[in-house]
Amino acid sequence: MNDDVRRAFQDCPPSVRRDLLRMRSLIFQAAAHESIPDLVESLKWGQPAYRPLHGGTTVRLGRLKEQPDRAALFVTCSTSLVDMFRLEFEDAFDFVGKRALLPKPGVPLPEEAIRTCVQSAFTYHRFRPPNRVRRNRD
């Protein structure tokens, strides 16, 4: 972990930091499961971000301004990922818009759900549903 990423985690309250660091570990587990050897850890918008170099989409870890006492996992809002996650994991997360998943408060982190969501993000471009049908215009 580079110093900038370490500082981003240290800037969080201890309970949120603990959850975010556990989520970070789950991100690396998900990457290993999907045989993604080239995961890049960096900062995006001041938050730790994780992106496979080849394919997939970025996930970020952080907090919402409106709920700074809760850890959040962010995905790119232009994807259909949050819509898919809402269907499968409505009991595990609170969702904010098309980009944020917040583990439910007062219960253990839904580790398997987090790994599954991250794996879906890291393989998104390989398996995403088509956004529209192209028609041949003669």
Side-chain angles (χ1 to χ4, degrees):
M1 180 184 317
N2 72 41
D3 289 340
D4 292 334
V5 172
R6 186 179 329 280
R7 274 191 294 278
F9 284 119
Q10 289 173 344
D11 288 344
C12 296
S15 63
V16 175
R17 181 182 328 123
R18 181 192 67 238
D19 287 348
L20 291 174
L21 288 171
R22 181 64 190 139
M23 292 167 76
R24 177 184 183 269
S25 174
L26 297 169
I27 288 170
F28 282 98
Q29 289 176 23
H33 181 268
E34 289 299 326
S35 300
I36 297 172
D38 53 0
L39 188 65
V40 175
E41 181 177 46
S42 62
L43 285 184
K44 282 193 175 193
W45 298 286
Q47 297 173 322
Y50 304 86
R51 177 180 59 89
L53 279 180
H54 304 289
T57 190
T58 300
V59 296
R60 289 182 292 119
L61 296 176
R63 301 179 290 161
L64 292 171
K65 290 178 187 170
E66 305 82 22
Q67 299 183 54
D69 59 334
R70 293 181 65 191
L73 177 86
F74 298 93
V75 297
T76 305
C77 63
S78 62
T79 68
S80 59
L81 288 167
V82 169
D83 293 333
M84 294 181 341
F85 300 156
R86 271 192 179 102
L87 294 173
E88 191 169 350
F89 301 115
E90 68 180 325
D91 294 334
F93 300 105
D94 292 325
F95 298 91
V96 178
K98 295 185 73 169
R99 67 183 186 105
L101 297 78
L102 288 78
K104 298 275 186 182
V107 296
L109 282 177
E111 294 187 0
E112 189 58 35
I114 292 168
R115 275 191 295 269
T116 299
C117 292
V118 171
Q119 288 168 356
S120 296
F122 287 168
T123 60
Y124 182 72
H125 293 296
R126 286 188 252 169
F127 304 109
R128 73 178 173 187
N131 289 334
R132 59 185 156 201
V133 175
R134 291 186 177 211
R135 294 187 179 157
N136 188 0
R137 295 181 178 234
D138 292 321

